[in-house]
Amino acid sequence: MKLSVFGEKFSAGAGILSLMDDLGNALAEGGKIMMGGGNPGHIPEIQAVMAARLRALSEDGNLLRRLIGIYDPPRGERDFLRNLAALLRREYGWELTEENICLTNGSQGAFFLLFNILAGVMADGGRRRILLPMAPEYIGYADLGLVDDFFVSVRPRIETMAADLFKYRVDFGQIAITDEIGAICVSRPTNPTGNVLTNDEIAGLSRLARENGIPLIIDSAYGLPFPGMVYTDATPVWQEGMVLCLSLSKFGLPAVRTGIVVADPGLIRLLSGANAVVNLAPGSFGAMLANDIVRSGEIIRLSREVVQPFYRRRMERALACIRDCFDGLAYRVHVPEGAFFLWLWFPGLPITGRGLYERLKRRGVVVVPGDSFFPGLPPGWRHVDECVRITYAQDEDEVRRGIEIIAEELRSIG
Ligand SMILES: Cc1ncc(COP(=O)(O)O)c(C=O)c1O
């Protein structure tokens, strides 16, 4: 079969796809300790809220018809959009209405649309790219561009902190915004590091974007207002010219596939046009499931009082376990400020992070090699090969066992 350039993007040879396959196969073989994926944990309180809502939806003929029997408008379920706009106005004072919000089938799909609307081959024939101002960044962006050479990313400053911690900081001195940049994008909290960009860093990026007439896209899949996996006092921001991407996935509904984009009405109209062309309409399920807790604001309370403490506790236990097991080894951990990952740095590691990943896989522990998280960064930075990402969202005993095996393997490498 002859493939278009577009078709080839999805062939098994693509870098990230082969890694994902590898992770998927490792999982399918069974008996593995899975510290690789981005699946959220299963929180009983959240599942109980959803079970009750599902019962209510299935018992009310009217609601059931809206849930399964009617295409929503291309921007998504109206009532949900109105309730979410009201919640964001009430909670943060943002000046927005439902015209500022569009739903997508997962936020991953929103990034595909946003990135390719704002960069690539431009309508005037020019070329633009997406700037990731601080690598490492989310692996899932890497293959989203419809043309090659789609991202530019910038090395962070590394600040070593007390004990065994370190923190990446945006290196504003290294960021150059040329006419070739179509948008700036950051995940906050950052996947893979658990970093939360400070309010000052966000203000700096926002200023750069505004001065250059391009959008700043903030990927808040793990952040505020929900699911709220943030352990610092970071403030959520949205203002005209900014794009805030939210998701119901990490709140506990990854299979429901609901992404939410908050942006200027012009961009929202483009996204809803793309929804209409590609999907006719976004699915109603997530919007209908979450509508009540968005209307009441309960989604924010649950995020603050249930979801955040659940992951924070797991993070603290995983970090304590690392300190126990890694004693005497050359390692540092990125200060865990959010999400559910620990980013481990082994300065001077005699093999690569990918080599370590292969060795751990043979021992039944699946992590993600750090070099996957630097799309758009010019080669030649040793640090890229000294890191791996682990997730602490899954079973706590398994996380402990996994960390013990990583420590054994590191000691055997010497
Ligand atoms: C940083 C980040 N952004 C976006 C997504 C996409 O999530 P979803 O498509 O489930 O909304 C993920 C998923 O892991 C993620 O880690």
Side-chain angles (χ1 to χ4, degrees):
M1 182 172 56
K2 275 202 179 265
L3 293 182
S4 65
V5 174
F6 179 76
E8 278 186 345
K9 281 206 65 66
F10 309 111
S11 70
I16 299 304
L17 282 181
S18 64
L19 178 68
M20 288 311 183
D21 261 5
D22 204 31
L23 289 172
N25 290 336
L27 194 60
E29 281 167 22
K32 293 277 196 290
I33 297 177
M34 196 57 188
M35 300 174 94
N39 214 89
H42 305 291
I43 307 182
E45 289 96 319
I46 301 296
Q47 291 182 341
V49 170
M50 291 304 146
R53 175 69 179 160
L54 266 175
R55 274 193 300 275
L57 288 171
S58 66
E59 283 163 8
D60 179 317
N62 228 342
L63 289 177
L64 184 65
R65 198 165 320 119
R66 275 170 59 199
L67 180 71
I68 60 172
I70 299 174
Y71 285 121
D72 281 334
R75 250 182 335 107
E77 220 273 335
R78 279 243 170 80
D79 206 27
F80 179 83
L81 298 180
R82 265 195 296 269
N83 287 328
L84 181 60
L87 177 68
L88 297 175
R89 278 196 305 269
R90 206 162 66 228
E91 191 73 18
Y92 303 121
W94 296 344
E95 288 176 24
L96 48 74
T97 70
E98 63 191 277
E99 307 283 314
N100 293 91
I101 308 178
C102 179
L103 304 188
T104 55
N105 293 330
S107 67
Q108 185 70 18
F111 289 105
F112 175 73
L113 296 174
L114 281 168
F115 287 173
N116 288 294
I117 285 172
L118 297 167
V121 180
M122 306 304 285
D124 64 5
R127 279 289 303 266
R128 285 196 151 189
R129 298 196 281 174
I130 300 291
L131 173 70
L132 307 174
M134 192 169 75
E137 216 3 309
Y138 172 44
I139 191 173
Y141 299 151
D143 280 316
L144 289 180
L146 286 176
V147 297
D148 288 339
D149 199 17
F150 194 75
F151 294 98
V152 195
S153 66
V154 181
R155 282 188 204 185
R157 276 195 302 110
I158 295 181
E159 207 173 277
T160 52
M161 302 173 70
D164 50 2
L165 301 177
F166 75 106
K167 181 169 167 66
Y168 292 131
R169 303 258 180 207
V170 177
D171 192 348
F172 282 95
Q174 299 301 314
I175 296 179
I177 311 253
T178 62
D179 287 349
E180 272 201 7
I181 302 299
I184 305 174
C185 178
V186 286
S187 57
R188 184 189 197 226
T190 307
N191 176 357
T193 55
N195 195 4
V196 175
L197 268 72
T198 61
N199 294 339
D200 283 351
E201 285 173 318
I202 290 291
L205 292 174
S206 164
R207 199 173 322 112
L208 273 179
R210 226 178 17 256
E211 284 166 6
N212 290 279
I214 55 175
L216 169 63
I217 303 171
I218 299 180
D219 178 352
S220 198
Y222 300 85
L224 298 161
F226 48 82
M229 295 172 201
V230 173
Y231 319 127
T232 66
D233 59 1
T235 324
V237 274
W238 179 83
Q239 58 201 230
E240 228 181 279
M242 215 180 246
V243 182
L244 180 68
C245 294
L246 307 173
S247 169
L248 293 182
S249 294
K250 314 295 171 176
F251 183 73
L253 304 172
V256 167
R257 312 304 305 130
T258 302
I260 301 162
V261 181
V262 182
D264 293 348
L267 190 50
I268 292 298
R269 279 193 293 279
L270 289 172
L271 283 176
S272 85
N275 263 347
V277 170
V278 181
N279 295 309
L280 297 186
S284 317
F285 209 73
M288 293 292 288
L289 264 184
N291 199 17
D292 271 8
I293 56 172
V294 166
R295 186 189 300 112
S296 63
E298 184 71 357
I299 193 166
I300 294 187
R301 188 195 67 78
L302 287 166
S303 297
R304 274 189 201 135
E305 294 178 15
V306 177
V307 179
Q308 196 265 22
F310 175 91
Y311 288 101
R312 184 176 199 140
R313 231 176 3 252
R314 291 199 167 196
M315 175 272 282
E316 283 164 357
R317 289 200 189 135
L319 189 59
C321 179
I322 282 186
R323 288 179 166 156
D324 255 13
C325 298
F326 285 17
D327 191 34
L329 290 167
Y331 79 96
R332 280 190 181 273
V333 182
H334 191 286
V335 56
E337 297 175 322
F340 48 63
F341 306 108
L342 290 179
W343 178 252
L344 310 178
W345 174 26
F346 304 108
L349 185 69
I351 60 171
T352 61
R354 194 161 286 256
L356 180 59
Y357 155 74
E358 292 292 348
R359 291 172 74 132
L360 288 170
K361 202 170 55 169
R362 285 196 289 275
R363 299 223 28 212
V365 178
V366 180
V367 301
V368 185
D371 62 359
S372 319
F373 295 94
F374 294 84
L377 194 75
W381 190 25
R382 171 72 191 147
H383 182 77
V384 166
D385 289 313
E386 293 178 336
C387 301
V388 299
R389 186 196 79 179
I390 62 172
T391 165
Y392 53 80
Q394 304 305 318
D395 180 78
E396 291 193 273
D397 291 338
E398 294 225 335
V399 170
R400 166 164 277 280
R401 185 69 201 122
I403 291 170
E404 284 166 1
I405 294 173
I406 297 172
E408 282 168 22
E409 204 55 33
L410 288 166
R411 288 188 206 283
S412 80
I413 295 165

